Structures are given as structure tokens and as C-alpha cells.
Amino acid sequence: MIGVPDPLCLLTVHAHPDDESSKGAGSVALYHAQGAHTVLVCCTGGEEGEVLNPALDTPEVHARLADLRREELAEAARVIGYDEVVMLGYRDSGMAGSEANANPASFARAPVEEAVERLVAIVRRSRPQVMVVYGDEQSGYPHPDHLRVHEIGVLAFRAAGDPERFPGSGSPWQPSKLYYTEFSVARFREVHQKFEELGLESPFDAEWRKRWEEVTPPVVTTSVDVSEFADIRSRALLAHATQVDPNSPFWFGLPPEVMRTIHPYDDYRLALVAGPDGSIVPPEPDAGGDGPVETDLFAGIRPAESISGEAG
Ligand SMILES: [Zn+2]
């Protein structure tokens, strides 16, 4: 519908090193394998992260944590198949209410226009057809940096193609689609059930499960089959050795061959679509009302015959 651009490019925006591994790693691996250029924008250095791997909780590790997190990110990006990692250059703002919130170098304290301009410059240089950011509903994990990713992601998507915005930051380029990466409640339920079936102790206690029942499940418009890349997330998470306990039942409690079979999809919500007339609007509501209508983030951008299982 928009012609066939060459090459395909996918740009994702994440808040901290390790977010790129826990969210959407399988789909990035898939698109990289299909030949798309994959760009990760990481907004902060993760300086406020704690050492969550008991084996690495040593003074030496704490002393070089910022460097280690950069190295871990590079390794995770290699595992996933990101062609480029671009740091937006802000400091981790820490969890809401923590002292780090007040640091003037923090992402949450940065002037919005400045952060948007930095992201617009990266978008204009990379020329992605598809951008992925976080959604507006983050009540389950309201980290200031994650909220900021949503805010600047939407603004940059709207500004990148506008010649009047940030004229000193590259030639205008309008990505076609903006997606939100979504957490799958269905996936958690299935993981919990598997623990019970196998007689293992589930890391999802009653408190967790109560939250699932109360939470309004996110709107998922797009489910990407990542079954061929189902181990990528675990492998990428393990690259963040200081941040991830390899014995964590939350991530690694089920045998890999079982884990691989559970909801092998990355779920997304299509949030904004850029039209040929310059409009930037939410997608047409799904006529059927229920369930994912797309199986490919590049649906409508590349020829349909190159997409398997297209449902739209
Ligand atoms: Zn994060």
C-alpha cells in the first residue's frame, strides 16, 4: 500500500538495559533474521539497577556497575540481533519516590523537548518504517523512565516527519506505524498453570494472581509468532548477568522445553498510523472487535506474500 521500502527497519525504544530482553526480544530476532535493520534506543544507562544475581553481589561488581551494564547490554543486543544500539544519554531515574529522581541528569528530569529532539535525530538517521515504544497504561509498573519512554516515543513519532520540527536534526522521516509493546496476562496465567501441573512452586503467589484478575488486559492488535526464537529472551536476559538471577523461578523456573511452548508470541498494540496524506491517527477499530488482527509489525508495509499466516 505504501510501496516497498528497502531496507525494512525496526526501531525500538527502551528505558534501561535489560528491558530490550524482557520485552519483544523474539520479534526483533525474527525481523533481524528476515533481513530487517534493527535499532535499539536505550534511554538510560541503568545506573540505579541493583545487583540481583547473588553470585555477583560483590564490592568489585558494584564499583564497575555502570560499565558492566553497558557490556551486558552489548552482549544481549548481539544475542537478540540488534544491528545498532544507540544510547539516548540520560541517567536512570530510579523507582518512583527514590532519591535518584532528583538527579538533574536523570531521564525523568530532562526537558521533554530535548529528549524528543534526540530521539527524532535517531529516527531521521535510521529511517524505520516501524517504531516500538511503551504504552500509556503502565499502572502495573509505573517506573518514571518507562512512563517517559511512552511520552517521548509518541511525540517523536509525531515530530520526525514534520519539517518544521527540529530542522537542525536531520531530514524529516515519517515512520508508518507506532506500536506499544504489551505484557501478556495470558502468558502469566499459562506459566502459573504449568508450574502447578508439574508440581513445582509457582513464583506467582496469590497476590500476583489477584492482580491479574483485577487488571484490564491490554488491547492486543498484533501477535507475532516467535516460536522459532523462543529461547532468545532467556539467553538475552542471562547476558544481563548482574540484573538477572539465573536461578530466578520467575524467569527460569520451568524447564526450557516447557517454557518454549507457552504463548510463543510477542504481543503489541498498534497505536498510531501515518497516512499518505500526512495524517497521524489511531488505527481503524477492529471491525470484529476481538483478538489480534495482525501477525506482522510490517503488515501493509511489505508485500503480503512475504508474510506467513497474515490474518488481516
Ligand atoms: Zn526498565
Side-chain angles (χ1 to χ4, degrees):
M1 95 191 179
I2 312 174
V4 185
D6 182 35
L8 292 180
C9 177
L10 171 66
L11 182 143
T12 71
V13 187
H14 288 283
H16 308 108
D18 76 8
D19 285 318
E20 81 299 326
S21 297
S22 59
K23 297 175 248 307
S27 16
V28 173
L30 172 72
Y31 290 118
H32 175 77
Q34 292 179 353
H37 189 72
T38 48
V39 180
L40 164 63
V41 179
C42 186
C43 296
T44 79
E47 295 84 351
E48 292 297 309
E50 287 167 40
V51 175
L52 298 173
N53 181 352
L56 293 176
D57 197 356
T58 65
E60 296 75 33
V61 165
H62 280 273
R64 347 185 10 241
L65 192 57
D67 286 343
L68 283 171
R69 292 208 70 178
R70 240 187 326 273
E71 292 165 23
E72 291 171 353
L73 177 61
E75 176 58 12
R78 192 193 62 75
V79 167
I80 294 168
Y82 273 108
D83 295 302
E84 270 186 76
V85 179
V86 189
M87 303 304 289
L88 203 62
Y90 292 107
R91 194 179 187 286
D92 189 338
S93 311
M95 299 292 281
S98 70
E99 260 176 48
N101 295 172
N103 191 315
S106 72
F107 188 28
R109 284 270 168 148
V112 172
E113 286 291 287
E114 176 198 276
V116 171
E117 180 164 13
R118 288 187 192 185
L119 182 53
V120 163
I122 299 165
V123 170
R124 287 176 176 172
R125 182 171 55 71
S126 319
R127 301 163 75 89
Q129 294 83 16
V130 174
M131 263 180 84
V132 174
V133 303
Y134 302 158
D136 45 0
E137 205 323 270
Q138 298 189 41
S139 59
Y141 186 70
H143 192 296
D145 292 330
H146 287 226
L147 299 170
R148 259 281 153 107
V149 165
H150 169 71
E151 186 182 8
I152 71 158
V154 171
L155 291 171
F157 182 83
R158 289 185 174 282
D162 184 343
E164 292 182 4
R165 304 293 311 281
F166 313 116
S169 291
S171 314
W173 170 262
Q174 181 58 58
S176 303
K177 300 202 273 184
L178 178 74
Y179 284 95
Y180 298 157
T181 175
E182 296 289 1
F183 240 37
S184 169
V185 178
R187 180 166 210 283
F188 279 128
R189 286 212 185 91
E190 278 182 54
V191 169
H192 175 69
Q193 276 166 16
K194 269 295 172 214
F195 272 102
E196 306 238 292
E197 262 173 58
L198 297 174
L200 299 166
E201 193 188 337
S202 169
F204 305 109
D205 57 15
E207 186 68 25
W208 255 99
R209 300 201 300 280
K210 187 163 157 274
R211 241 189 292 161
W212 292 336
E213 304 316 324
E214 287 167 358
V215 92
T216 315
V219 176
V220 172
T221 61
T222 312
S223 246
V224 179
D225 182 344
V226 294
S227 48
E228 283 185 49
F229 297 90
D231 293 335
I232 288 284
R233 184 174 60 167
S234 301
R235 287 175 44 214
L237 280 166
L238 286 170
H240 292 281
T242 63
Q243 302 300 302
V244 176
D245 180 355
N247 298 312
S248 154
F250 184 87
W251 295 114
F252 308 110
L254 292 173
E257 64 275 13
V258 174
M259 201 62 187
R260 216 169 279 153
T261 64
I262 297 175
H263 196 76
Y265 299 93
D266 282 345
D267 292 336
Y268 295 90
R269 172 179 183 174
L270 179 57
L272 290 173
V273 178
D277 59 347
S279 64
I280 296 176
V281 291
E284 294 287 316
D286 169 24
D290 292 314
V293 295
E294 284 184 327
T295 56
D296 179 21
L297 299 179
F298 288 97
I301 292 170
R302 59 176 163 182
E305 58 268 26
S306 70
I307 305 157
S308 55
E310 168 69 5

Short mmCIF file of all heavy atoms in Angstrom, two decimals, residues 15-16 18-19 141 146, ligand 1:
data_model
loop_
_atom_site.label_atom_id
_atom_site.label_comp_id
_atom_site.label_asym_id
_atom_site.label_seq_id
_atom_site.Cartn_x
_atom_site.Cartn_y
_atom_site.Cartn_z
N ALA A 15 13.78 1.71 28.15
CA ALA A 15 14.19 2.61 29.22
C ALA A 15 15.57 2.27 29.79
O ALA A 15 16.39 3.15 30.01
CB ALA A 15 13.15 2.59 30.35
N HIS A 16 15.79 0.98 30.06
CA HIS A 16 17.02 0.54 30.75
C HIS A 16 17.62 -0.66 30.04
O HIS A 16 16.89 -1.42 29.42
CB HIS A 16 16.67 0.10 32.19
CG HIS A 16 15.89 1.09 32.96
ND1 HIS A 16 14.55 0.92 33.28
CD2 HIS A 16 16.25 2.29 33.47
CE1 HIS A 16 14.12 1.98 33.95
NE2 HIS A 16 15.13 2.83 34.08
N ASP A 18 18.30 -4.19 29.77
CA ASP A 18 17.55 -5.43 30.12
C ASP A 18 16.07 -5.34 29.70
O ASP A 18 15.45 -6.38 29.48
CB ASP A 18 17.69 -5.91 31.58
CG ASP A 18 16.88 -5.11 32.63
OD1 ASP A 18 16.08 -4.26 32.27
OD2 ASP A 18 17.10 -5.39 33.83
N ASP A 19 15.54 -4.13 29.55
CA ASP A 19 14.16 -4.01 29.05
C ASP A 19 14.04 -4.57 27.63
O ASP A 19 13.02 -5.13 27.24
CB ASP A 19 13.69 -2.55 29.06
CG ASP A 19 13.36 -2.05 30.46
OD1 ASP A 19 12.74 -2.81 31.23
OD2 ASP A 19 13.74 -0.91 30.78
N TYR A 141 3.53 -1.24 36.62
CA TYR A 141 4.95 -0.98 36.88
C TYR A 141 5.25 0.45 36.45
O TYR A 141 5.83 0.71 35.40
CB TYR A 141 5.82 -1.98 36.08
CG TYR A 141 7.30 -1.87 36.39
CD1 TYR A 141 7.81 -2.29 37.63
CD2 TYR A 141 8.20 -1.35 35.46
CE1 TYR A 141 9.17 -2.19 37.91
CE2 TYR A 141 9.56 -1.25 35.74
CZ TYR A 141 10.03 -1.67 36.96
OH TYR A 141 11.38 -1.57 37.24
N HIS A 146 10.04 4.46 32.35
CA HIS A 146 9.16 3.76 31.41
C HIS A 146 8.02 4.68 30.95
O HIS A 146 7.64 4.67 29.79
CB HIS A 146 8.59 2.49 32.06
CG HIS A 146 9.61 1.39 32.20
ND1 HIS A 146 9.35 0.09 31.86
CD2 HIS A 146 10.89 1.42 32.65
CE1 HIS A 146 10.44 -0.64 32.09
NE2 HIS A 146 11.37 0.14 32.58
ZN ZN B 1 13.21 -0.71 32.85
#
